[in-house]
Amino acid sequence: MPNLTLARGEDGIAVITWDMPGRSMNVMNDASLGEFAAAVDGALSDSETEGVVVTSGKPAFIAGADLEWLEALMASGETEDMRIRSLFDRFMDLHHLFRRIETAKKPFVAAINGTALGGGFEICLACHRRIATEDPRALLGLPEAKVGLFPGIGGTQRYLRMLGALEALPLLLEGTYLSPAQALARGLVDEVAPTAELVARAKDWIRAAPAEALVKPWDKPGFIIPGADPRTLAGVQAFSAANAMQRAKTYGNYPALDAIQSVVYRGMLVPIDTALRIETEAFVRLTLDPRARNMVRTQFINLQQANKLARRPAAVARKRFSRIDVLGAGLMGSGIAHVAARAGIDVVLLDVNAEAAERGLDHIRRQQQTAVDRGRIPEAEARAIVARVQPVADYERLAGAELVIEAVFENREVKAEVTRRAEAVLRSEAVFASNTSTLPITGLAQASARPERFIGLHFFSPVERMPLVEIIRGERTGEEALAWSMDFVRQIGKTPIVVNDSRGFYTSRVFGTYTREAVLMLAEGVRPALIENGGKSAGMPMAPLALSDEVAISLIHQVAVQTAKDLGDKYRPTAADRLIAEMVERQNRPGRRAGKGFYDYPADGPKRLWPGLSGLAPEAATQPSLDDVKTRYLAIQALEAARCLEENVVTDPADADVGALLGWGFAPWTGGPLSYIDMLGTGPFVELCDRLAQQHGARFLPNPMLRDLARRGAAIYSERRTAA
Ligand code: NAD
């Protein structure tokens, strides 16, 4: 079955239609690009073809490069030199193909009937005209930077030449998605139209295409790139400012971003064909950088695997829910009800009384109203979403439920009571899930009469925005409860990772080491500003003390107290526990919501570190370097993730890394905590941890699994993958 078709009509206009069999989206790989090249060259050499329309037979145009193909290309060839050569040749071939389109004497028009991203949009940029669907849901743009790469088939150079460096750079650096209307406003598409009219409009344009429109501005003599000229002082200043701004945000952790700036700058000084060569050289160099490779592996390949439910029990039939029930209409319960309703699922939302349940519905109503006000959703659709949620206070209303998610107070007794009351009316096959953030599932399941249908579904706040759900198997959780839970998570468009029961599960357990390390540093007398900067320069999305304030210091304290109670004599309080207790119990600084935590939150200005911190722990005479602080944060989290792998809390490194990036934003440039260990090498990582253990304590001592891998010179990923 071909991936695309070429059909020439009576009018002499050929239509190339991408429609890859067996896939929901068209992607660029060896097979599809080979056929595209043959179709383009066929149309060019056919004297009866007057012009060409490129379009797609699927709802989306082309989703971009098939990153599995790209990953295979990156790994092909026996030596690094061979890899470099083969990648370089492959991309130069694509440049030549796109240049044949661009410099053809026959008009090429992209009829962009839906989402066109990355390489898919780069094809469009090479055409003489772009006519896009007016559907606001179509996404256009070059998002490669989001997965650690940059556009490698001319995107950097065509954006630059169409928009000028200062407009192109932010779009390239942030990998911005544009709606068709936004792309039109920027001149990246020439026309928008109803989807059904695109091909006809493209043909109309071809019939009347002026010869002048077949020569791109940059192929005309005397072309000057719009905007700042790097040969002038103003241009140099603008570039330096953009560079400084980007570094301030990313701390130089992302090689793709440096490469984008470099190819844009150098591309300005040379003609397009030389510029494309520069782009390819930089692209090939980037693909050899382990940071870029790790980002692609986690953010794309393994994320896709997780979304395809690679670890779902295969024997259980797929489940689609038309209704779910949520207990507790507070912050989390109403968020869960909201995302389910948005996915077209009816929701029964129960709380202690009608007013409390109604408050949960109000939350949903308000959010939908904001979406309507911002033009993101038609009013009728918003009303339909709100109407799917039924606020109730009566447990009888749960009868007939297939999946119940409880999000009541984080208290064992309250949770046990709602479990019993719900189960009294539930059908025997209903799955009961707890959204607890800290209480082990096996323990909570003791309140259940059918622990094989009891499971943890750990959502993150705010539910509407956070993409991950951590699914926790209790000791007795059965396969069907697991499979149904995974199906539900996908049905609401989120990514599941499956973990085994453990205190803090996987995400909270590892994430907790980040903020704890910061508090330990505070207790050692490390300067608070250094503690905060170290976190940000490590690539964490928020500085650790600021984050503790957001989470609430009082909550961190409460979890520590509960853990101490649960573990009894086995619990060893740390300097961090003492400092946290001091903050909450004696200093009365519970966190952001109270306006008092590690920071002060003045009404008339930005937050600032609380000066009283120096009274809690006097500043040490010698301070660590920024790099030392950064390394401590990354190492302690990576080590805890490795312990989770050894203890079977997570069973696959891919889940650990995907969960870390999506769950708490662990330094994305590393590809995740376990990819970080592999990037350093297990040997050097173990040495680093031994040194840190000597300096800072036994919590840094590497676990046996890591020592064993290090001794054998093996990597985590090559040893511990259980699924492709
Ligand atoms: P919340 O206080 O906002 O909401 C709890 C709701 O449960 C309230 O509306 C309360 O009236 C209701 N409730 C209490 N007892 C009930 C009962 N017997 N029957 C029915 N409803 C009852 O709390 P939250 O932040 O939404 O947290 C809920 C759960 O989610 C907790 O287990 C928490 O640990 C977990 N969680 C919270 C977060 C977070 O960031 N807030 C993140 C992940 C998980």
Side-chain angles (χ1 to χ4, degrees):
M1 286 269 275
N3 289 302
L4 45 89
T5 54
L6 169 72
R8 177 162 54 75
E10 298 280 294
D11 54 5
I13 298 175
V15 180
I16 297 177
T17 307
W18 282 67
D19 197 352
M20 296 174 73
R23 288 183 182 256
S24 59
M25 298 261 213
N26 295 313
V27 289
M28 300 166 87
N29 57 24
D30 265 341
S32 60
L33 283 169
E35 288 174 40
F36 183 60
V40 167
D41 289 332
L44 286 176
S45 61
D46 174 22
S47 59
E48 283 172 36
T49 299
E50 309 275 328
V52 181
V53 181
V54 184
T55 191
S56 140
K58 299 195 188 291
F61 182 74
I62 299 172
D66 177 350
L67 289 187
E68 281 174 38
W69 161 71
L70 193 58
E71 204 201 21
L73 265 186
M74 278 148 83
S76 69
E78 273 157 31
T79 64
E80 186 153 294
D81 278 353
M82 283 162 78
R83 276 198 289 282
I84 292 175
R85 191 75 246 165
S86 102
L87 262 175
F88 184 81
D89 290 347
R90 193 77 192 85
F91 277 81
M92 286 310 293
D93 275 353
L94 293 173
H95 282 316
H96 294 143
L97 170 66
F98 284 21
R99 285 293 280 160
R100 287 204 291 287
I101 294 176
E102 190 163 69
T103 58
K105 299 282 173 292
K106 300 177 183 182
F108 274 73
V109 181
I112 312 167
N113 56 308
T115 291
L117 294 174
F121 198 51
E122 287 176 302
I123 290 190
C124 305
L125 296 177
C127 290
H128 300 107
R129 189 170 181 81
R130 286 158 291 285
I131 309 180
T133 170
E134 60 188 14
D135 184 345
R137 285 169 300 188
L139 300 174
L140 310 179
L142 303 174
E144 283 85 346
K146 288 191 198 294
V147 291
L149 294 174
F150 69 83
I153 330 178
T156 65
Q157 299 308 314
R158 291 193 177 88
Y159 259 32
L160 164 66
R161 282 164 175 72
M162 293 169 83
L163 303 173
L166 295 187
E167 193 179 339
L169 271 174
L171 296 180
L172 293 167
L173 292 169
E174 283 158 32
T176 312
Y177 296 122
L178 301 167
S179 66
Q182 288 168 329
L184 181 70
R186 288 179 185 264
L188 289 170
V189 303
D190 304 293
E191 198 179 331
V192 294
T195 312
E197 291 176 22
L198 293 175
V199 173
R201 291 223 194 177
K203 288 185 170 186
D204 287 347
W205 187 83
I206 287 174
R207 280 185 207 105
E212 143 97 10
L214 303 189
V215 184
K216 286 286 173 79
W218 43 93
D219 285 321
K220 290 179 184 162
F223 170 69
I224 294 177
I225 291 175
D229 179 341
R231 286 159 299 196
T232 65
L233 182 61
V236 170
Q237 280 171 341
F239 252 89
S240 324
N243 187 10
M245 267 162 57
Q246 184 246 316
R247 290 228 150 217
K249 273 202 274 184
T250 60
Y251 298 87
N253 284 329
Y254 296 87
L257 304 187
D258 294 337
I260 288 171
Q261 297 195 75
S262 156
V263 296
V264 167
Y265 186 82
R266 292 166 60 208
M268 290 177 82
L269 306 171
V270 293
I272 180 94
D273 288 305
T274 316
L276 293 173
R277 203 184 160 83
I278 289 173
E279 185 191 77
T280 296
E281 281 166 4
F283 185 83
V284 172
R285 207 171 313 122
L286 179 68
T287 61
L288 299 173
D289 189 306
R291 291 172 290 179
R293 301 173 79 139
N294 285 350
M295 279 182 77
V296 170
R297 182 174 65 189
T298 300
Q299 304 217 28
F300 195 84
I301 300 188
N302 289 338
L303 177 63
Q304 222 171 37
Q305 289 286 334
N307 285 337
K308 284 188 191 154
L309 307 185
R311 272 169 280 292
R312 183 187 184 282
V316 181
R318 289 265 170 181
K319 179 86 186 159
R320 261 194 94 71
F321 293 91
S322 50
R323 162 188 162 185
I324 64 150
D325 296 40
V326 178
L327 311 182
L331 179 75
M332 298 303 288
S334 60
I336 295 166
H338 189 190
V339 292
R342 275 201 319 212
I345 302 172
D346 290 334
V347 183
V348 172
L349 179 60
L350 178 143
D351 209 299
V352 283
N353 53 42
E355 296 77 62
E358 191 60 44
R359 268 199 301 278
L361 183 60
D362 269 345
H363 159 90
I364 298 171
R365 214 178 265 130
R366 273 197 309 276
Q367 299 229 12
Q368 282 301 320
Q369 190 54 49
T370 310
V372 171
D373 293 345
R374 294 193 180 151
R376 282 204 236 109
I377 183 172
E379 195 159 355
E381 217 171 291
R383 265 203 306 273
I385 289 173
V386 174
R388 276 186 207 119
V389 181
Q390 295 217 8
V392 306
D394 175 4
Y395 277 79
E396 291 301 322
R397 297 289 295 277
L398 305 180
E402 293 184 302
L403 173 64
V404 178
I405 303 171
E406 78 68 17
V408 300
F409 297 141
E410 186 75 343
N411 173 298
R412 274 208 188 84
E413 288 71 40
V414 179
K415 289 196 188 291
E417 189 205 322
V418 301
T419 306
R420 278 190 289 268
R421 289 185 68 183
E423 284 188 358
V425 291
L426 289 179
R427 296 198 302 217
S428 60
E429 72 269 27
V431 168
F432 191 97
S434 172
N435 177 48
T436 175
S437 37
T438 56
L439 304 169
I441 292 300
T442 307
L444 291 181
Q446 282 167 5
S448 168
R450 346 171 249 126
E452 72 287 353
R453 304 198 74 80
F454 195 101
I455 197 163
L457 275 182
H458 181 203
F459 285 82
F460 297 77
S461 173
V463 180
E464 285 84 350
R465 279 220 310 276
M466 296 298 285
L468 188 77
V469 179
E470 185 175 27
I471 301 184
I472 304 115
R473 305 176 73 144
E475 268 165 30
R476 297 177 63 187
T477 303
E479 298 283 276
E480 193 165 76
L482 175 63
W484 282 20
S485 298
M486 294 178 88
D487 292 341
F488 171 67
V489 171
R490 278 314 292 152
Q491 203 179 330
I492 58 171
K494 302 213 181 276
T495 299
I497 60 165
V498 179
V499 309
N500 289 313
D501 209 3
S502 144
R503 188 165 292 283
F505 315 127
Y506 167 68
T507 54
S508 309
R509 174 168 160 185
V510 180
F511 163 71
T513 62
Y514 170 51
T515 45
R516 195 174 316 128
E517 197 59 28
V519 180
L520 284 167
M521 285 190 212
L522 201 56
E524 285 168 24
V526 178
R527 240 177 251 133
L530 182 54
I531 293 175
E532 295 295 77
N533 286 338
K536 284 194 282 182
S537 76
M540 299 299 293
M542 251 185 117
L545 299 176
L547 188 56
S548 307
D549 273 7
E550 293 294 328
V551 170
I553 305 176
S554 52
L555 184 66
I556 297 173
H557 182 47
Q558 200 184 317
V559 172
V561 169
Q562 180 69 47
T563 309
K565 218 172 12 171
D566 291 351
L567 296 186
D569 289 347
K570 277 192 258 152
Y571 189 71
R572 300 266 168 279
T574 65
D577 293 331
R578 286 188 285 276
L579 204 142
I580 291 282
E582 168 78 24
M583 285 293 285
V584 177
E585 289 170 3
R586 277 176 289 283
Q587 303 295 333
N588 188 26
R589 301 191 67 88
R592 168 90 167 93
R593 225 183 279 180
K596 288 190 296 184
F598 290 121
Y599 284 77
D600 278 327
Y601 297 87
D604 55 350
K607 69 178 178 203
R608 44 170 195 260
L609 280 157
W610 176 46
L613 287 178
S614 57
L616 296 184
E619 204 172 286
T622 44
Q623 293 287 320
S625 70
L626 186 66
D627 246 9
D628 285 343
V629 175
K630 174 174 159 177
T631 306
R632 272 174 78 171
Y633 291 137
L634 294 173
I636 198 73
Q637 293 178 80
L639 196 50
E640 196 66 19
R643 291 187 186 119
C644 286
L645 188 64
E646 179 164 30
E647 292 166 27
N648 226 22
V649 174
V650 278
T651 56
D652 191 288
D655 272 359
D657 281 349
V658 167
L661 261 60
L662 266 53
W664 73 97
F666 180 85
W669 61 272
T670 60
L674 299 181
S675 289
Y676 171 73
I677 297 178
D678 277 355
M679 184 154 68
L680 296 188
T682 47
F685 183 74
V686 162
E687 275 170 35
L688 168 72
C689 289
D690 278 332
R691 182 168 58 74
L692 290 171
Q694 257 180 6
Q695 290 168 345
H696 306 295
R699 67 183 176 285
F700 279 104
L701 282 176
N703 53 332
M705 178 195 82
L706 275 182
R707 287 204 189 280
D708 173 56
L709 289 171
R711 209 170 20 247
R712 292 187 289 114
I716 297 176
Y717 263 81
S718 47
E719 291 264 321
R720 291 294 304 247
R721 290 309 312 269
T722 54

